[in-house]
């Protein structure tokens, strides 16, 4: 039906917004507020310019072909020679507000850049780089605030010969995304500094590592707690002191209880020596008292924990053997004892349970299904995800998304990291020191380290229903310093991690710290 007033209004609004006359009449402008051919199904294979989309640059490198994510076809960028190409679609007639673009993507990697952008929307252009994933499709998101009733969806490649990307099943809907946690575990700082460790800005000025990280965009620090460690570090007193620095820098604080005198992880959950020989009933009291003691002391000095991990990488349980997953009812009792202590200090502090199963869907389901069926109380789920150990990015996304939806809880990456070089600065062999150990598409360079972190952060950001909280980088400050090795019982032990810190062998902040400024 013809409405003269509506048509006149449609003429005036786009013109005042600076749109070309081609956006008219009103019916066309209305249709253009949603993506056309967002699944690239309209033309079939071989379409040089997919319906609804425009191309710029080396247009022969942008085409539709078979092998879609949802339907039969997808958009691909590829050429046998180096190329630069943009595939884009212009949206108009949008109601101003927050929007979210979702896309399914794959990439063989190697490009100078490959990203999806939302631009000309009234504010700053927003981009999400395509993670390198040659086989599994990944879902990424790009949020934007539209302020001028229009926006351009843009798929970009600046590629070397033979590089390729696939993009499919885009949606552009109201909503927003982002990460509330851009954190790092910095437990290594006190001992490092005591043994002469120095931290510098990128330009070489010596400074406080907490401040340097904060200035890069870090907003959350993670500190581990051991009960009575041999070297006197990572204990209650040291955590209290570091917490003051963390809070003074305006950071939030995650306290990570290991319930041990030394590292607790999937391969070792040894009881503290002070608790050796204690009955299961006494261990429940030990967990409560230790958890309460540390957290209450933090609260008393004005540095209340903002989140707490009851246990560290507890794939097989904790406080072996009493708290092993071979005895779920006892493990549940110990975990709930810790939970109750956290809430007794501050009822609003969320409690996280932490597994090292980032790409293990079956294992994560088994563990949390068991926890739920045994009445374990928890508020959030933390997963370690190291790409050289825990599966592909696609497996990680599947596991993270499933945990969030299956248990209805927020999720976060409690630990991840990546090397910026392979050689060692000290005499101790690095944990990751061979090119064969790296994740394909992510070189051991500061740029590769940054790309890895942005890929992990983008996958957490894309968790549905806003349940992806964020990411903690593991041991960003554990540089090679004599005396600050991995073994608290051996002062001569070395550090196998300095090539995965966020400070270089010259002690300067690496360019990869830019990941902290992820949305």
């Amino acid at each position: 039906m013809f409405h003269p007033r509506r048509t006149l209004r449609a003429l005036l609004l786009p013109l005042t917004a600076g749109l070309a006359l081609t956006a008219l009449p009103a019916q066309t402008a209305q249709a253009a507020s949603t993506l056309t051919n967002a699944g690239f199904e309209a033309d079939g294979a071989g379409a040089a310019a997919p319906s609804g989309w425009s191309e710029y640059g080396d247009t022969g490198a942008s085409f539709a072909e078979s092998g879609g994510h949802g339907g039969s076809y997808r958009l691909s960028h590829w050429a046998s020679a180096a190329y630069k190409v943009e595939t884009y679609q212009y949206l108009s007639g949008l109601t101003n507000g927050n929007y979210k673009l979702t896309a399914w993507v794959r990439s063989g990697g190697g490009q100078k850049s490959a990203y999806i952008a939302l631009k000309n929307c009234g504010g700053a252009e927003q981009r999400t780089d395509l993670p390198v994933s040659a086989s599994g499709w990944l879902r990424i998101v790009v949020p934007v605030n539209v302020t001028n009733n229009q926006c351009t969806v843009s798929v970009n490649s600046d590629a070397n010969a033979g590089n390729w990307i696939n993009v499919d099943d885009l949606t552009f809907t109201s909503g927003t995304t982002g990460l509330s946690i851009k954190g790092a575990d910095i437990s290594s700082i006190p001992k490092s500094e005591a043994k002469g460790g120095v931290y510098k800005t990128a330009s070489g000025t010596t400074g406080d590592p907490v401040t340097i990280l904060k200035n890069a965009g870090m907003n959350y620090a993670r500190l581990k707690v051991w009960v009575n460690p041999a070297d006197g570090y990572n204990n209650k007193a040291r955590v209290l002191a570091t917490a003051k620095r963390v809070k003074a820098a305006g950071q939030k604080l995650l306290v990570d209880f290991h319930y041990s005198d030394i590292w607790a992880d999937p391969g070792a959950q040894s009881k503290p020596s002070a608790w050796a020989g204690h009955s299961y009933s006494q261990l429940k009291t030990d967990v409560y008292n230790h958890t309460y003691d540390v957290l209450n002391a933090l609260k008393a000095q004005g540095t209340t924990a903002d989140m707490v991990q009851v246990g560290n990488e507890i794939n097989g349980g904790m406080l072996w053997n009493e708290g092993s997953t071979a005895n779920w009812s006892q493990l549940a009792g110990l975990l709930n004892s810790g939970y109750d202590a956290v809430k007794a200090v501050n009822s609003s502090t969320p409690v996280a349970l932490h597994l090292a199963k980032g790409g293990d869907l079956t294992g994560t389901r088994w563990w949390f299904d068991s926890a739920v069926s045994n009445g374990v109380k928890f508020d959030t789920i933390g997963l370690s995800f190291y790409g050289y150990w825990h599966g592909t990015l696609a497996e990680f996304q599947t596991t993270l998304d499933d945990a969030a939806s299956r248990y209805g809880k927020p999720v976060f990456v409690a630990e991840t990291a990546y090397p910026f070089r392979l050689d060692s600065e000290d005499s101790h062999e690095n944990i990751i020191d061979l090119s064969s150990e790296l994740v394909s598409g992510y070189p051991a360079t500061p740029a590769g380290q940054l790309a890895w972190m942005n890929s992990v952060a983008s996958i957490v950001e894309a968790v549905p229903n806003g349940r992806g909280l964020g990411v903690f980088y593991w041991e960003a400050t554990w540089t090679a310093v004599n005396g600050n090795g991995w073994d608290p019982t051996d002062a001569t032990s070395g550090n196998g991690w300095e090539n995965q810190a966020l400070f270089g062998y010259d002690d300067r902040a690496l360019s990869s710290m830019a990941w902290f400024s992820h949305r």
Side-chain angles (χ1 to χ4, degrees):
M1 189 179 292
F2 182 65
H3 292 284
R5 186 172 297 163
R6 186 178 298 168
T7 305
L8 177 62
R9 183 174 167 82
L11 277 166
L12 291 172
L13 283 177
L15 288 173
T16 56
L19 297 190
L21 281 166
T22 51
L24 308 177
Q27 289 78 0
T28 310
Q30 187 58 40
S33 67
T34 54
L35 279 170
T36 302
N37 193 22
F40 303 97
E41 297 297 308
D43 315 288
S51 299
W53 295 86
S54 304
E55 297 170 336
Y56 177 78
D58 298 316
T59 57
S62 168
F63 49 90
E65 64 177 345
S66 58
H69 165 260
S72 301
Y73 305 100
R74 67 192 184 209
L75 172 70
S76 292
H77 285 178
W78 175 87
S80 57
Y83 63 93
K84 285 187 187 180
V85 71
E86 176 189 15
T87 310
Y88 65 97
Q89 188 167 150
Y90 166 68
L91 301 176
S92 61
L94 297 170
T95 303
N96 287 336
N98 290 317
Y99 289 85
K100 176 179 72 173
L101 180 80
T102 303
W104 287 90
V105 301
R106 296 192 301 194
S107 171
Q111 299 90 348
K112 297 187 184 81
S113 64
Y115 62 90
I116 296 182
L118 295 175
K119 60 184 188 177
N120 307 323
C121 311
E125 177 178 329
Q126 296 295 318
R127 293 184 180 182
T128 300
D129 292 331
L130 268 64
V132 180
S133 180
S135 53
W137 289 91
L138 295 172
R139 187 183 60 258
I140 60 172
V141 293
V142 193
V144 76
N145 182 27
V146 172
T147 59
N148 62 355
N149 304 108
Q150 65 188 42
C151 198
T152 300
V153 176
S154 171
V155 181
N156 281 266
S157 293
D158 182 354
N160 299 300
N163 294 162
W164 60 270
I165 66 170
N166 302 148
V167 177
D168 204 1
D169 296 339
L170 294 93
T171 58
F172 186 78
T173 57
S174 59
T176 189
T177 67
L179 300 178
S180 58
I181 295 173
K182 288 163 281 192
D185 193 307
I186 55 172
S187 301
S188 52
I189 287 177
K191 190 173 180 181
S192 172
E193 290 175 336
K195 302 294 180 182
V198 172
Y199 299 89
K200 299 177 181 180
T201 64
S203 59
T205 306
T206 300
D208 175 5
V210 179
T211 303
I212 293 169
L213 288 161
K214 177 201 174 171
N215 290 342
M218 185 177 100
N219 66 5
Y220 224 119
R222 179 180 187 254
L223 299 176
K224 69 172 174 281
V225 188
W226 289 339
V227 177
N228 188 24
D231 62 358
Y233 286 89
N234 302 296
N235 60 8
K236 175 186 168 184
R238 303 284 186 178
V239 168
L240 285 169
T242 310
K244 285 185 176 178
R245 294 173 64 176
V246 165
K247 292 284 190 163
Q251 310 286 284
K252 288 188 173 181
L253 173 65
L254 167 58
V255 178
D256 170 21
F257 285 95
H258 283 228
Y259 302 112
S260 183
D261 293 335
I262 197 167
W263 303 100
D265 58 42
Q269 295 282 338
S270 54
K271 286 194 282 283
S273 57
W275 305 357
H278 285 192
S279 66
Y280 166 64
S281 176
Q282 181 62 44
L283 287 171
K284 283 199 293 185
T285 304
D286 292 334
V287 167
Y288 186 96
N289 288 345
H290 170 61
T291 307
Y292 186 92
D293 179 48
V294 173
L295 295 178
N296 197 50
L298 284 165
K299 181 180 177 181
Q301 72 170 12
T303 60
T304 301
D306 297 285
M307 181 156 59
V308 173
Q309 275 182 228
V310 174
N312 186 78
E313 294 192 329
I314 50 176
N315 299 9
M318 65 185 198
L319 294 167
W320 289 346
N321 290 314
E322 287 79 358
S324 160
T325 49
N327 191 334
W328 257 105
S329 64
Q330 288 194 174
L331 175 56
L334 293 167
L335 293 172
N336 283 341
S337 192
Y339 182 96
D340 291 343
V342 175
K343 300 299 183 177
V345 173
N346 184 36
S347 61
S348 62
T349 302
V351 173
L353 297 180
H354 171 208
L355 301 187
K357 287 184 176 287
D360 181 359
L361 175 66
T362 304
T364 299
R365 275 188 177 180
W366 172 82
W367 200 98
F368 279 99
D369 283 359
S370 301
V372 170
S373 66
N374 280 278
V376 176
K377 295 177 281 191
F378 62 100
D379 306 310
T380 63
I381 293 171
L383 296 176
S384 293
F385 177 64
Y386 295 100
Y388 37 74
W389 291 329
H390 294 144
T392 66
L393 288 167
E395 289 166 335
F396 165 54
Q397 180 165 69
T398 300
T399 305
L400 198 65
D401 289 355
D402 184 75
S405 61
R406 189 175 181 90
Y407 308 106
K409 305 286 188 185
V411 294
F412 66 98
V413 175
E415 297 182 17
T416 189
Y418 204 76
F420 63 90
R421 58 195 291 172
L422 291 173
D423 61 317
S424 186
E425 189 182 1
D426 62 15
S427 59
H428 191 82
E429 182 182 0
N430 288 334
I431 292 173
I432 302 298
D433 63 347
L434 300 173
S435 57
S436 60
E437 295 172 307
L438 297 174
V439 180
S440 177
Y442 295 91
T445 61
Q449 190 181 43
L450 173 60
W452 174 259
M453 290 308 298
N454 277 331
S455 295
V456 172
S458 292
I459 287 172
V460 179
E461 186 188 12
V463 173
N465 302 309
R467 288 195 176 117
L469 294 178
V471 181
F472 289 93
Y473 193 95
W474 194 70
E475 279 294 7
T477 52
W478 199 6
T479 53
V481 175
N482 284 339
N484 191 22
W486 69 270
D487 186 353
T489 68
D490 178 5
T492 68
S493 64
N495 168 7
W497 203 258
E498 71 268 17
N499 67 324
Q500 300 195 61
L502 293 180
F503 291 86
Y505 289 5
D506 58 2
D507 300 321
R508 296 187 183 203
L510 293 168
S511 54
S512 47
M513 276 191 199
W515 89 265
F516 286 118
S517 59
H518 196 95
R519 280 181 300 270

